[in-house]
């Protein structure tokens, strides 16, 4: 079993996933292995190459773990965290640790081996994002889990090991540091001003316009003021919304529109770049007997959103090591570029 | 001029370095350009290809910006921050910003175009680390600067753009977030226990032995308990030492021995991997009129060290986005592997 370990200096948890690693002697030989699509474990007909599915959207006449599906959710074959067991919180001198308990799932988004999310039909993308919502809800029923991370690696440079469209999910017994810090900032702002910090940012960006890449009735896409990466984009609900899992389908439609258009625009303007996205949402509010939830359940202490990071520049170690990023493209320029390509698309669609 | 911008949610500064970036339309064409060694701006004879040197260790008979040097320090040709100007701290709504004031220098470590730091003669590496010390001291005389980052990118995968051995230095008007957080942890620990947090870690590691990769009289190399990356190594002085700039030459000799051996062992055991290293040291303690220094000058609120990160695995966006790392190699295994290769080296050296 893997182990969760805490660094007392940087106050950060890491997963030491021994099972995932090779022995050091083998390590240096690790290379990218391109997969023959026929061998792709995520393609239809190859269901036996994956662990049994957790859920699937499939034809009523099909059988689980066989063909005839639109979307499948499966456990990760090489999980960083495992679902069975106790947390086993313990300490040793200055160090804290616990068992590597959690869930690590893969959402196979579609049967199509090569379908960019920016080109996915809106109805299908709605299905995908609905499944995100339902998986988070389901996992939050497990009291051991504090947070569910939904993230996507697209392209080998982004960390993806399989090309077939998929999203990953990791449920963790701790709230990841970055999320916890964002919650802290939001809480501090709310306690001082009785307003949501993200709502204040959105209002300022709506007034200024220069960093808006796209907007529809319910969602805004901005290249954030202090973007760490060129063409970093955040998709946020315009009206305050604490928790992704509470988003109803009719609002999710607008989210899907904004997400798909942004990914499409990045693909078009940057020559199909590798990218990552991360869903940032409120942690589990499941009450735990005998101890308070780690985070308050103030309805204004978070504002869910998705962060999209195209992988255009190499991140040097100094950036990891310091948290200090150098971004060679201003967010104003990036937003303008996305806006223009989406305006052109809208014009072309009108003509047709 | 570039701009320093503050993210109000993640409380992090970024450098928006417009001059460094290409226009978006050109961006997608960016490719690695291998450099013909004859064209290398860091090689002897090509001094005119770099900005005029800030300092150099050179033959008494040579002239500045000409051949005949052992080591040169030059301004970065494409600086992320510029030395001239006022900080111009300002705010706009929820956002904070200041001018991109700072220093960005390159330390050309040697004339040799291909010399791995793990194979550098110890006397020469001592020269290099002495220059680190003197450059930090010199830049801390400038009251605008709060921190000086010394870091090295080795190999294209690490973010290096030039192969010729060099280290970079960035002086910043703010203390980078990670350093500030480490200082906070150390201060908290000191106020609670009147001991240095790093000293406590070192004592525990010395007793346990399993994560010690190497040690000599004055320095210890550990694969830290909560290593984020496979074969991550920290080199720390055994006896408490707050500030790298206060390290005398006779102690630096032991540092250089530990650093060189660790880098050599990583090169040997991992097939010459790309790597980054970062010097973590106390920020400037220059008193600023009318306001206290940002960090206390308690002698126990930091313990300088160097972090070495081999770039063996791709960092997926989720790791940046969450601060939550998955490491497939346990630090105990990594330390054992380095220890063994260094023991073998010592045996071979004895035989000769």
């Amino acid at each position: 079993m893997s182990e969760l370990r805490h660094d007392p200096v940087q106050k950060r948890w890491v997963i030491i996933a021994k099972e995932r690693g090779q022995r050091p002697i083998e390590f240096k030989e690790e290379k990218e292995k391109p997969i023959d699509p026929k061998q792709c474990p995520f393609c239809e007909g190859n269901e036996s190459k994956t662990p049994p599915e957790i859920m699937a959207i499939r034809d009523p006449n099909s059988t689980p773990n066989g063909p005839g599906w639109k979307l499948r959710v499966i456990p990760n074959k090489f999980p960083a965290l495992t679902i069975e067991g106790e947390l086993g919180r313990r300490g040793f001198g200055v160090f804290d640790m616990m068992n590597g308990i959690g869930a690590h799932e893969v959402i196979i988004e579609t049967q199509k081996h090569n379908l960019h999310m920016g080109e996915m039909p809106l109805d299908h993308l709605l299905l995908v994002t609905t499944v995100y919502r339902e998986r988070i809800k389901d996992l939050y029923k497990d009291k051991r889990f504090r947070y569910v991370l939904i993230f996507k690696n697209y392209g080998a440079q982004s960390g993806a090991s399989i090309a077939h469209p998929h999203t990953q999910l990791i449920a963790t017994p701790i709230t990841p540091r970055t999320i916890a810090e964002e919650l802290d900032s939001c809480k501090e702002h709310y306690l001082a001003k009785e307003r949501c910090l993200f709502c204040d940012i959105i209002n300022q960006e709506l007034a200024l316009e220069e960093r808006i890449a796209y907007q529809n009735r319910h969602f805004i896409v901005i290249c954030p003021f202090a973007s760490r990466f060129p063409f970093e984009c955040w998709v946020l609900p315009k009206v305050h919304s604490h928790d992704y899992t509470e988003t109803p389908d009719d609002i999710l439609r607008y989210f899907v529109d904004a997400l798909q258009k942004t990914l499409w625009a990045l693909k078009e303007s940057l020559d199909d770049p590798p990218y990552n996205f991360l869903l940032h949402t409120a942690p589990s509010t499941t009450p735990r007997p005998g101890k308070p939830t780690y985070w308050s359940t103030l309805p204004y202490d978070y504002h869910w959103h998705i962060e999209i990071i195209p992988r255009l520049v190499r991140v040097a170690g100094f950036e990891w090591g310091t948290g200090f990023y150098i971004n060679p493209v201003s967010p104003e320029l990036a937003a303008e570029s996305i806006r223009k390509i989406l305006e052109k698309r809208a014009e072309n669609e009108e003509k047709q």
Side-chain angles (χ1 to χ4, degrees), chain A:
Chain A
M1 185 186 288
S2 65
E3 196 168 68
L4 280 159
R5 295 185 177 187
H6 185 255
D7 183 279
V9 184
Q10 295 180 356
K11 298 192 173 169
R12 180 183 30 69
W13 288 87
V14 299
I15 302 173
I16 306 287
K18 293 167 198 170
E19 284 83 0
R20 287 193 120 203
Q22 297 95 328
R23 297 161 52 123
I25 198 75
E26 293 163 16
F27 202 82
K28 61 181 175 185
E29 284 151 41
E30 193 188 22
K31 289 238 169 66
E32 266 176 84
K33 286 169 209 142
I35 283 183
D36 172 6
K38 277 176 207 154
Q39 299 291 319
C40 169
F42 295 172
C43 273
E44 191 175 30
N46 292 345
E47 291 79 8
S48 65
K49 289 183 196 288
T50 71
E53 62 201 35
I54 295 164
M55 66 158 283
I57 314 277
R58 40 169 70 254
D59 288 341
N61 299 327
S62 70
T63 49
N65 302 307
W69 46 272
K70 279 186 179 174
L71 179 156
R72 295 179 79 215
V73 182
I74 54 164
N76 192 307
K77 204 169 182 177
F78 306 99
L81 296 167
T82 43
I83 196 101
E84 274 113 32
E86 294 299 316
L87 289 178
R89 293 175 199 275
R90 55 201 183 274
F92 185 68
V94 287
F95 301 131
D96 306 313
M97 58 205 110
M98 59 175 107
N99 296 330
I101 299 297
H104 193 166
E105 303 179 358
V106 177
I107 297 150
I108 306 171
E109 297 158 13
T110 165
Q111 285 201 350
K112 298 202 169 113
H113 185 74
N114 284 309
L115 179 59
H116 194 279
M117 197 179 259
E119 283 158 354
M120 200 175 264
L122 286 180
D123 281 342
H124 196 87
L125 189 51
L126 182 61
L127 204 69
V128 174
T129 55
T130 312
V131 168
Y132 294 169
R133 188 184 62 195
E134 300 313 312
R135 289 308 303 140
I136 301 174
K137 273 193 199 171
D138 188 48
L139 286 159
Y140 276 171
K141 288 180 197 153
D142 189 319
K143 285 188 183 173
R144 297 171 305 169
F145 302 147
R146 295 278 167 93
Y147 196 75
V148 175
L149 280 171
I150 297 271
F151 64 99
K152 185 172 170 69
N153 301 337
Y154 171 82
Q157 291 291 337
S158 78
S161 53
I162 291 180
H164 193 117
H166 67 286
T167 309
Q168 293 187 69
L169 169 160
I170 296 189
T172 53
I174 45 134
T175 301
R177 213 186 111 111
T178 306
I179 308 293
E181 285 165 351
E182 292 190 359
L183 283 156
D184 270 344
S185 298
C186 289
K187 207 154 123 184
E188 201 181 287
H189 190 85
Y190 178 74
L191 293 175
K193 310 201 177 188
E194 295 191 47
R195 297 193 309 261
C196 163
L197 175 56
F198 280 100
C199 287
D200 278 11
I201 293 172
I202 291 165
N203 284 334
Q204 187 167 339
E205 295 296 10
L206 279 168
L208 293 174
E209 291 184 343
E210 59 182 350
R211 280 180 294 271
I212 302 177
Y214 178 69
Q215 61 175 312
N216 60 32
R217 195 171 151 197
H218 289 291
F219 284 80
I220 183 173
V221 183
I222 56 169
C223 295
F225 174 74
S227 291
R228 290 157 295 178
F229 306 103
F231 287 83
E232 178 175 348
C233 291
W234 295 358
V235 184
L236 308 109
K238 280 181 183 174
V239 172
H240 182 75
S241 175
H242 182 247
D243 186 344
Y244 179 74
T245 64
E246 287 170 5
T247 312
D249 284 9
D250 58 328
I251 300 290
L252 222 43
R253 282 199 171 275
Y254 289 90
F255 169 56
V256 155
D257 167 72
L259 178 63
Q260 188 237 39
K261 286 214 171 74
T262 307
L263 292 174
W264 178 85
L266 292 172
K267 179 172 188 280
E268 289 296 303
S269 47
L270 301 166
D271 200 14
D272 197 11
Y275 69 87
N276 302 105
F277 74 58
L278 295 109
L279 181 63
H280 284 211
T281 182
S284 169
T285 52
T286 307
R288 288 169 181 82
K291 54 153 69 175
T293 56
Y294 188 52
W295 299 105
S296 90
T297 53
L298 290 172
Y300 289 96
D301 69 359
Y302 208 52
H303 189 123
W304 77 264
H305 60 282
I306 209 160
E307 291 189 10
I308 306 169
I309 301 168
R311 302 287 294 256
L312 299 165
V313 287
R314 282 213 186 81
V315 175
F318 122 84
E319 272 135 341
W320 293 338
T322 61
F324 200 52
Y325 288 84
I326 302 175
N327 178 357
V329 178
S330 79
E332 295 77 21
L333 209 59
E336 189 191 358
S337 160
I338 297 172
R339 221 160 45 225
K340 279 192 180 154
I341 209 161
L342 287 175
E343 278 163 11
K344 217 171 179 179
R345 171 179 162 159
E347 275 168 35
N348 287 340
E349 282 172 352
E350 263 173 44
K351 275 183 210 153
Q352 284 167 1

